[in-house]
Amino acid sequence: MAISPESMPENPIDFRAPPPSPIASGRRSSVTNDEVLTEFLEHSLRVPDLILPDKIFPRQKIVETPPRIDCQSLISGEGDSVLRMLDSIARIGCFQLVNFGIPSEFIRLVSVTAAGIFQLPPGKKEAVSRSLERPYGFEEVHGDHQEAESEVSEEFVWCKDESLKLDMEGIWPTGYSNFSKKMETLSSDIEKVARKILHILHENCPRKSMYGNDMMQRQDLIGSVCCLYKHGRNFLADQWASSLGYDVMRMLIRGTDYSHALCLHTCDGSSEFHVYSKKGWVSFCPDKDALIVTVGDRTQVWSGGQYKHVFGWPIFKGDDKDCISMAFLYSPPSSNSSSSKTSKGKTVSLGQQAIFAIILTLVCHFLVYFYKEV
């Protein structure tokens, strides 16, 4: 029997949810909880003070002037030039080279021409900035964009690459062609000097790593590289110390980007030259018009650790104008590339093969006819 709405009970069952549990009221309890939470966060979120160890960034430097080696005497083997060079690169990884056959006036001319690269507007520099896909171009080294332009140090990586030439001629059509021609000439002359030094090192190394040849002749993607630096001026004492630390860290990172056998530095007018390695920090005043030669990672591996891999960095103090330094990273060409060039030179064209086949056919017919007549 159906139940009508009128016959339902007057007090239906209440299905409402129970009231929430009572919260302890009182200002004292909430304050106590806040204090405990604050103390916990202060202890758990405290950032420790990190200090780089001296083995990574040495605080003390050693003042030692590397020997001044005459290039002509080194090549001819006269005197003790070879022994002095070997001793210097085994201890501190560098030496000074003079009388190397490249006029100092031409090196200064290339430096003056290179200064025009760093005078381009920031927008054009960003169009040719370094990246993972582009191993050449501009990269800011140290300085704030809001600071004066003279207080910013910059870097430009140059190489013999057609893509770089096209990109730079697009943003600097009037000056880059002239600069590139001078750089190619200077780079070729530097490579000749480096090749002779590397040959002497190879002949006088008593121990060689079993992986040395593979390391020395590894094929490069962009060939020889030159890193041009514009050194900022008008730094205060504290700013100069901060800039030096930044430059060293940048230099260590750059050393892993471009593997090389030797690095030849031109730094005319520098007040100091710093050489960094795992063992310490060497500082000296370079001779005027001298090339500073430092050992690269490939040479250290090839020599079994006898020749020490170091990083070099020139220091310019008290100059009222921008200073340009250049670091040429040299590695010997791959044996595969040289063999491919040789094989390419001996290739016989299809036309020559056809002529040779015709001549051979005629000779065969003549010999057959001759024997038949006999």
PDB file of all heavy atoms in Angstrom, residues 57 240-250 276:
ATOM      1  N   PHE A  57      91.396  27.485  -7.133  1.00  0.00           N
ATOM      2  CA  PHE A  57      91.686  28.885  -7.424  1.00  0.00           C
ATOM      3  C   PHE A  57      92.750  29.347  -6.433  1.00  0.00           C
ATOM      4  O   PHE A  57      92.440  29.793  -5.344  1.00  0.00           O
ATOM      5  CB  PHE A  57      90.423  29.740  -7.300  1.00  0.00           C
ATOM      6  CG  PHE A  57      90.621  31.148  -7.799  1.00  0.00           C
ATOM      7  CD1 PHE A  57      90.572  31.429  -9.146  1.00  0.00           C
ATOM      8  CD2 PHE A  57      90.862  32.180  -6.907  1.00  0.00           C
ATOM      9  CE1 PHE A  57      90.750  32.720  -9.598  1.00  0.00           C
ATOM     10  CE2 PHE A  57      91.042  33.476  -7.354  1.00  0.00           C
ATOM     11  CZ  PHE A  57      90.992  33.743  -8.706  1.00  0.00           C
ATOM     12  N   TRP A 240      88.816  45.395 -10.150  1.00  0.00           N
ATOM     13  CA  TRP A 240      89.847  44.671 -10.891  1.00  0.00           C
ATOM     14  C   TRP A 240      90.036  43.272 -10.326  1.00  0.00           C
ATOM     15  O   TRP A 240      90.195  42.309 -11.073  1.00  0.00           O
ATOM     16  CB  TRP A 240      91.155  45.444 -10.821  1.00  0.00           C
ATOM     17  CG  TRP A 240      92.243  44.809 -11.642  1.00  0.00           C
ATOM     18  CD1 TRP A 240      92.492  44.980 -12.967  1.00  0.00           C
ATOM     19  CD2 TRP A 240      93.220  43.870 -11.163  1.00  0.00           C
ATOM     20  NE1 TRP A 240      93.556  44.202 -13.360  1.00  0.00           N
ATOM     21  CE2 TRP A 240      94.031  43.519 -12.266  1.00  0.00           C
ATOM     22  CE3 TRP A 240      93.487  43.309  -9.931  1.00  0.00           C
ATOM     23  CZ2 TRP A 240      95.091  42.635 -12.153  1.00  0.00           C
ATOM     24  CZ3 TRP A 240      94.540  42.423  -9.823  1.00  0.00           C
ATOM     25  CH2 TRP A 240      95.329  42.097 -10.917  1.00  0.00           C
ATOM     26  N   ALA A 241      90.018  43.125  -9.002  1.00  0.00           N
ATOM     27  CA  ALA A 241      90.153  41.805  -8.387  1.00  0.00           C
ATOM     28  C   ALA A 241      88.984  40.902  -8.761  1.00  0.00           C
ATOM     29  O   ALA A 241      89.164  39.719  -9.069  1.00  0.00           O
ATOM     30  CB  ALA A 241      90.252  41.948  -6.869  1.00  0.00           C
ATOM     31  N   SER A 242      87.771  41.465  -8.759  1.00  0.00           N
ATOM     32  CA  SER A 242      86.600  40.682  -9.142  1.00  0.00           C
ATOM     33  C   SER A 242      86.662  40.294 -10.613  1.00  0.00           C
ATOM     34  O   SER A 242      86.320  39.170 -10.986  1.00  0.00           O
ATOM     35  CB  SER A 242      85.324  41.482  -8.856  1.00  0.00           C
ATOM     36  OG  SER A 242      84.188  40.803  -9.325  1.00  0.00           O
ATOM     37  N   SER A 243      87.125  41.215 -11.455  1.00  0.00           N
ATOM     38  CA  SER A 243      87.233  40.926 -12.881  1.00  0.00           C
ATOM     39  C   SER A 243      88.267  39.838 -13.142  1.00  0.00           C
ATOM     40  O   SER A 243      88.071  38.969 -13.991  1.00  0.00           O
ATOM     41  CB  SER A 243      87.615  42.200 -13.639  1.00  0.00           C
ATOM     42  OG  SER A 243      87.860  41.932 -15.000  1.00  0.00           O
ATOM     43  N   LEU A 244      89.381  39.861 -12.399  1.00  0.00           N
ATOM     44  CA  LEU A 244      90.403  38.848 -12.577  1.00  0.00           C
ATOM     45  C   LEU A 244      89.874  37.464 -12.230  1.00  0.00           C
ATOM     46  O   LEU A 244      90.113  36.495 -12.954  1.00  0.00           O
ATOM     47  CB  LEU A 244      91.622  39.184 -11.709  1.00  0.00           C
ATOM     48  CG  LEU A 244      92.771  38.165 -11.747  1.00  0.00           C
ATOM     49  CD1 LEU A 244      93.307  38.028 -13.156  1.00  0.00           C
ATOM     50  CD2 LEU A 244      93.874  38.590 -10.785  1.00  0.00           C
ATOM     51  N   GLY A 245      89.138  37.354 -11.123  1.00  0.00           N
ATOM     52  CA  GLY A 245      88.569  36.061 -10.758  1.00  0.00           C
ATOM     53  C   GLY A 245      87.595  35.551 -11.797  1.00  0.00           C
ATOM     54  O   GLY A 245      87.587  34.354 -12.128  1.00  0.00           O
ATOM     55  N   TYR A 246      86.781  36.451 -12.339  1.00  0.00           N
ATOM     56  CA  TYR A 246      85.828  36.054 -13.385  1.00  0.00           C
ATOM     57  C   TYR A 246      86.566  35.612 -14.637  1.00  0.00           C
ATOM     58  O   TYR A 246      86.197  34.618 -15.275  1.00  0.00           O
ATOM     59  CB  TYR A 246      84.908  37.227 -13.695  1.00  0.00           C
ATOM     60  CG  TYR A 246      83.770  36.889 -14.631  1.00  0.00           C
ATOM     61  CD1 TYR A 246      82.530  36.504 -14.142  1.00  0.00           C
ATOM     62  CD2 TYR A 246      83.939  36.964 -16.009  1.00  0.00           C
ATOM     63  CE1 TYR A 246      81.487  36.192 -15.001  1.00  0.00           C
ATOM     64  CE2 TYR A 246      82.912  36.646 -16.876  1.00  0.00           C
ATOM     65  CZ  TYR A 246      81.690  36.263 -16.356  1.00  0.00           C
ATOM     66  OH  TYR A 246      80.674  35.948 -17.215  1.00  0.00           O
ATOM     67  N   ASP A 247      87.629  36.339 -15.004  1.00  0.00           N
ATOM     68  CA  ASP A 247      88.384  35.996 -16.201  1.00  0.00           C
ATOM     69  C   ASP A 247      89.048  34.632 -16.077  1.00  0.00           C
ATOM     70  O   ASP A 247      89.125  33.873 -17.050  1.00  0.00           O
ATOM     71  CB  ASP A 247      89.449  37.065 -16.477  1.00  0.00           C
ATOM     72  CG  ASP A 247      88.840  38.390 -16.905  1.00  0.00           C
ATOM     73  OD1 ASP A 247      87.704  38.364 -17.413  1.00  0.00           O
ATOM     74  OD2 ASP A 247      89.488  39.431 -16.731  1.00  0.00           O
ATOM     75  N   VAL A 248      89.544  34.318 -14.878  1.00  0.00           N
ATOM     76  CA  VAL A 248      90.191  33.025 -14.680  1.00  0.00           C
ATOM     77  C   VAL A 248      89.186  31.896 -14.839  1.00  0.00           C
ATOM     78  O   VAL A 248      89.452  30.892 -15.527  1.00  0.00           O
ATOM     79  CB  VAL A 248      90.857  32.966 -13.292  1.00  0.00           C
ATOM     80  CG1 VAL A 248      91.347  31.550 -12.994  1.00  0.00           C
ATOM     81  CG2 VAL A 248      92.014  33.940 -13.222  1.00  0.00           C
ATOM     82  N   MET A 249      88.011  32.027 -14.233  1.00  0.00           N
ATOM     83  CA  MET A 249      86.994  30.995 -14.356  1.00  0.00           C
ATOM     84  C   MET A 249      86.541  30.851 -15.807  1.00  0.00           C
ATOM     85  O   MET A 249      86.341  29.740 -16.300  1.00  0.00           O
ATOM     86  CB  MET A 249      85.799  31.319 -13.458  1.00  0.00           C
ATOM     87  CG  MET A 249      86.127  31.347 -11.979  1.00  0.00           C
ATOM     88  SD  MET A 249      86.857  29.792 -11.405  1.00  0.00           S
ATOM     89  CE  MET A 249      85.519  28.655 -11.712  1.00  0.00           C
ATOM     90  N   ARG A 250      86.387  31.961 -16.502  1.00  0.00           N
ATOM     91  CA  ARG A 250      86.007  31.915 -17.912  1.00  0.00           C
ATOM     92  C   ARG A 250      87.093  31.244 -18.739  1.00  0.00           C
ATOM     93  O   ARG A 250      86.817  30.472 -19.663  1.00  0.00           O
ATOM     94  CB  ARG A 250      85.766  33.338 -18.418  1.00  0.00           C
ATOM     95  CG  ARG A 250      85.361  33.394 -19.897  1.00  0.00           C
ATOM     96  CD  ARG A 250      85.928  34.603 -20.559  1.00  0.00           C
ATOM     97  NE  ARG A 250      87.349  34.694 -20.380  1.00  0.00           N
ATOM     98  CZ  ARG A 250      88.221  33.967 -21.057  1.00  0.00           C
ATOM     99  NH1 ARG A 250      87.807  33.092 -21.947  1.00  0.00           N
ATOM    100  NH2 ARG A 250      89.508  34.091 -20.826  1.00  0.00           N
ATOM    101  N   TYR A 276      98.137  29.856 -15.160  1.00  0.00           N
ATOM    102  CA  TYR A 276      97.385  29.073 -14.185  1.00  0.00           C
ATOM    103  C   TYR A 276      97.474  27.589 -14.525  1.00  0.00           C
ATOM    104  O   TYR A 276      97.367  27.192 -15.679  1.00  0.00           O
ATOM    105  CB  TYR A 276      95.911  29.489 -14.164  1.00  0.00           C
ATOM    106  CG  TYR A 276      95.697  30.939 -13.825  1.00  0.00           C
ATOM    107  CD1 TYR A 276      95.669  31.909 -14.822  1.00  0.00           C
ATOM    108  CD2 TYR A 276      95.539  31.349 -12.506  1.00  0.00           C
ATOM    109  CE1 TYR A 276      95.482  33.242 -14.516  1.00  0.00           C
ATOM    110  CE2 TYR A 276      95.347  32.677 -12.191  1.00  0.00           C
ATOM    111  CZ  TYR A 276      95.321  33.616 -13.200  1.00  0.00           C
ATOM    112  OH  TYR A 276      95.144  34.944 -12.894  1.00  0.00           O
TER     113      TYR A 276
END
